Amino acid sequence: MTMTTIRNATLALVATAALLGSVPAIAHGYREQGKAVAVAASPLTVTPNRDWNQLSGKPGKKAEAWTLDGEQLDQVTFYGGIAPGEPLLREHDKKGKPLPKLTREMLLAEVPELLEATYRTDRAIASFTLLDARPERFLGTDGIRFAYEYVDGDELPRRGEAHAALVKGLLYMATLDAPRLHYFDQVAPAYRALVESATLR
């Protein structure tokens, strides 16, 4: 059996499990199409162009996650005003596995490295590749858009896209993570619509 066959079989199992309900979208919030909503307990506000589920449990003190089909298949994470000295995600082992922190000196161009280091520590991944990074307006100001891919603990290749901006020293960012095969391309338009609608209020 080739590696491609194994990956396809794994993806099929994940999708089937999600359809059967064994990998449910553990949602506690419903984000209705057309209604502006503040995310991550911050001024970051988006107006979804379709209905989304908000996942239960916050991935970080200033983070919030949404999904369309379940967190194993697609996950959009909003980071609302990360301050210098703060990590992107909740630290589960501050002494043993401290997460990298935003610094006052950090430039937008260094944000991809911050996300990579966070994923490598939090998810214990060995493979992370930055595919592209370029300036792009976000929240009405200069920002960065970058794309990446990695292999998570489930051995499933995943692809990601992120948009970030530093506003008054605080980091605002949105990310999409999904299996590279099929699901990323399926959800990316809805994610990019969220990004285009994003404002600070």
Side-chain angles (χ1 to χ4, degrees):
M1 181 179 291
T2 67
M3 184 60 69
T4 299
T5 301
I6 293 172
R7 289 172 177 167
N8 289 343
T10 302
L11 182 58
L13 286 172
V14 170
T16 301
L19 291 172
L20 293 175
S22 57
V23 185
I26 305 173
H28 73 171
Y30 176 69
R31 300 308 186 191
E32 188 175 349
Q33 176 184 358
K35 289 192 175 181
V37 58
V39 295
S42 77
L44 177 57
T45 301
V46 296
T47 305
N49 70 346
R50 58 173 298 174
D51 297 338
W52 286 80
N53 295 305
Q54 179 188 348
L55 292 171
S56 63
K58 296 173 63 175
K61 183 178 180 182
K62 297 180 179 177
E64 176 177 322
W66 292 10
T67 186
L68 289 176
D69 298 309
E71 60 184 314
Q72 297 296 323
L73 301 181
D74 64 81
Q75 182 169 317
V76 171
T77 305
F78 301 101
Y79 300 89
I82 305 296
E86 294 180 338
L88 296 177
L89 301 175
R90 189 182 312 282
E91 288 186 289
H92 301 288
D93 185 356
K94 291 184 179 181
K95 292 185 177 179
K97 294 172 58 180
L99 294 178
K101 314 293 192 304
L102 181 73
T103 66
R104 294 188 186 281
E105 299 77 20
M106 189 168 287
L107 304 174
L108 267 177
E110 297 173 299
V111 172
E113 295 178 21
L114 175 63
L115 185 68
E116 175 183 351
T118 298
Y119 278 16
R120 285 186 182 277
T121 302
D122 185 67
R123 306 183 182 188
I125 61 172
S127 171
F128 186 106
T129 303
L130 181 65
L131 301 174
D132 178 54
R134 53 185 160 169
E136 186 167 300
R137 301 280 291 177
F138 180 53
L139 300 175
T141 189
D142 293 339
I144 186 172
R145 169 179 177 170
F146 56 98
Y148 52 90
E149 63 183 17
Y150 60 95
V151 179
D152 213 338
D154 56 10
E155 300 296 327
L156 193 64
R158 295 179 185 275
R159 186 176 170 191
E161 184 172 307
H163 295 74
L166 288 165
V167 181
K168 297 180 180 179
L170 304 179
L171 174 63
Y172 294 87
M173 183 164 63
T175 60
L176 166 65
D177 294 271
R180 186 176 63 193
L181 187 63
H182 179 68
Y183 286 96
F184 182 87
D185 289 335
Q186 178 176 277
V187 178
Y191 159 74
R192 290 168 187 153
L194 286 173
V195 169
E196 290 178 4
S197 77
T199 60
L200 288 181
R201 294 187 176 177

